[in-house]
Amino acid sequence: MNAATSPDSSLNDNDALVIGGRTFASRLFVGTGKYASVDETRNALRASGASVVTVAVRRVDFKERGAASLFGMLLEEKFDLLPNTAGCYTADDAIRTARLGRELSGSDMVKLEVIGDQKTLFPDVVGLLEATKVLVKEGFFVLPYTNDDPITAKKLVDLGCPAVMPLGAPIGSGLGIRNPYNLRILMESVSVPVIVDAGVGTASDAAIAMELGADGVLMNTAIAAAKDPVRMAFAMRLAVDAGRLAHRAGRMEKRLYANASSPLQGTIGSSRGHDALGIE
Amino acid sequence: MVQTPERAATVTRLVSDIRVTVNGEEKRVPEGTTVAALVLSMNLRGPVAVERNREIVVRAEHPTTTLSEGDELEVVSFVGGG
């Protein structure tokens, strides 16, 4: 095996994601929605290498039994469950949903969403701050889905969020990282980990988020809506690792004009006066 | 059928059922029904969480929490989501 197929894994050592003093095995967080079956979900989640998976809290359907088998599978696979408050349009609904999620998961982690508008699913940051205040007080480990707005991010951190999760683009849009400059400013504005949540469409988007300096990426549709979700899950895993490594390695400066990689001198047919080797 | 409070009260007295709302739907259950009994009667697979009148009823208290007339319950579980 050569270096291309067997990279030295020690290059990626000692780089675990730590949020609020807790260590996470993967920087890729994945959702569990929109898959064709529980088996496909299982295979995609395994391929992603994620340890944290998001779930939604919904009223039980008295006729539908599928939901229970998804929950059972997630417990069987020992994923860390991150209940979300998706679909909540008020702080109050989000708070109630978070409490129900905690009762189900037995964990204090919540992906807090307070949605402002059905068409864009952009966060209602006023409601988000309100719900954050209450849930932090109740001991929740609040991971807030927020705008790529550095000011809101700072307020969320001030309220006690151990990380912030700004969007890259609208949920489920697959548009990629729409505002890398805002994200960079946001990352420089807060001292906690930043997880880019929503908007990723394919592997390069995830890599870009990580190269920008994100501490992790959370995605659902990019994997679930791929033609081959399991393969895409694995691609995302590699992309997150690649982007992270590139960020740690430190990219070269960009320049407008070329800068040859091969020596300019000593090419055959050079006029004598330009002979690099100085052989007259 | 339109459920006026008067009619509901009559029914309650006659069959000693109480009316509760479960996930937005009105249900009649025998007086003295506990949260655990209600959940059991739904034949659900897998764990659920229950909120009663906007307060969580922790699982350990499902067997000892008796429903009252007019209770509003939310019975939820996890589904796939992002």
Side-chain angles (χ1 to χ4, degrees), chain A residues 13-86:
Chain A
D13 279 357
N14 303 315
D15 187 39
L17 171 62
V18 180
I19 302 176
R22 302 178 192 187
T23 303
F24 294 84
S26 170
R27 292 177 178 273
L28 176 56
F29 292 19
V30 295
T32 56
K34 300 182 185 172
Y35 286 96
S37 66
V38 172
D39 267 347
E40 187 185 74
T41 316
R42 183 201 306 265
N43 292 335
L45 299 191
R46 279 183 182 170
S48 77
S51 61
V52 176
V53 304
T54 60
V55 283
V57 176
R58 288 293 179 272
R59 284 174 166 173
V60 293
D61 183 333
F62 305 124
K63 293 140 225 147
E64 180 66 63
R65 306 291 168 76
S69 62
L70 172 80
F71 191 3
M73 180 277 283
L74 296 175
L75 294 176
E76 217 174 274
E77 297 281 326
K78 299 193 166 48
F79 287 111
D80 291 325
L81 300 183
L82 175 58
N84 68 29
T85 63

Side-chain angles (χ1 to χ4, degrees), chain A residues 251-265:
Chain A
R251 64 156 296 144
M252 61 166 280
E253 290 304 316
K254 288 182 183 178
R255 50 197 304 158
L256 189 56
Y257 293 101
N259 182 13
S261 302
S262 308
L264 295 174
Q265 292 139 326

Side-chain angles (χ1 to χ4, degrees), chain B residues 2 6 8 15 26 28 31 38-39 43 45-46 48 51-52 55 57 61 64 71-72 77:
Chain B
V2 178
E6 294 76 19
V15 300
E26 202 165 271
R28 280 163 207 274
E31 218 173 339
L38 176 80
V39 169
N43 284 321
R45 216 153 47 113
V48 295
E51 184 199 63
R52 179 201 188 203
E55 300 284 339
V57 183
E61 288 170 12
T64 53
D71 273 356
E72 291 193 6
S77 190

Side-chain angles (χ1 to χ4, degrees), chain A residues 32-208:
Chain A
T32 56
K34 300 182 185 172
Y35 286 96
S37 66
V38 172
D39 267 347
E40 187 185 74
T41 316
R42 183 201 306 265
N43 292 335
L45 299 191
R46 279 183 182 170
S48 77
S51 61
V52 176
V53 304
T54 60
V55 283
V57 176
R58 288 293 179 272
R59 284 174 166 173
V60 293
D61 183 333
F62 305 124
K63 293 140 225 147
E64 180 66 63
R65 306 291 168 76
S69 62
L70 172 80
F71 191 3
M73 180 277 283
L74 296 175
L75 294 176
E76 217 174 274
E77 297 281 326
K78 299 193 166 48
F79 287 111
D80 291 325
L81 300 183
L82 175 58
N84 68 29
T85 63
C88 293
Y89 286 81
T90 63
D92 190 48
D93 281 352
I95 291 163
R96 290 170 63 197
T97 303
R99 290 172 182 155
L100 286 164
R102 176 164 67 178
E103 175 68 7
L104 278 167
S105 70
S107 144
D108 56 4
M109 290 202 297
V110 61
K111 171 181 160 178
L112 184 60
E113 302 180 43
V114 181
I115 301 298
D117 164 65
Q118 208 155 23
K119 194 168 178 182
T120 62
L121 298 180
F122 281 144
D124 172 351
V125 296
V126 176
L128 180 65
L129 292 165
E130 209 179 306
T132 298
K133 204 178 292 182
V134 173
L135 292 173
V136 166
K137 227 169 263 172
E138 293 183 12
F140 278 90
F141 192 82
V142 178
L143 304 176
Y145 159 70
T146 183
N147 271 319
D148 56 3
D149 167 22
I151 309 305
T152 304
K154 278 201 277 190
K155 289 183 180 179
L156 288 164
V157 175
D158 288 346
L159 287 174
C161 293
V164 289
M165 306 206 296
L167 53 80
I171 292 172
S173 70
L175 287 172
I177 309 302
R178 299 320 303 149
N179 199 336
Y181 304 102
N182 262 39
L183 281 179
R184 270 184 60 188
I185 296 171
L186 189 153
M187 289 168 200
E188 287 180 15
S189 305
V190 297
S191 50
V192 301
V194 174
I195 314 284
V196 171
D197 178 4
V200 164
T202 187
S204 54
D205 297 331
I208 287 169

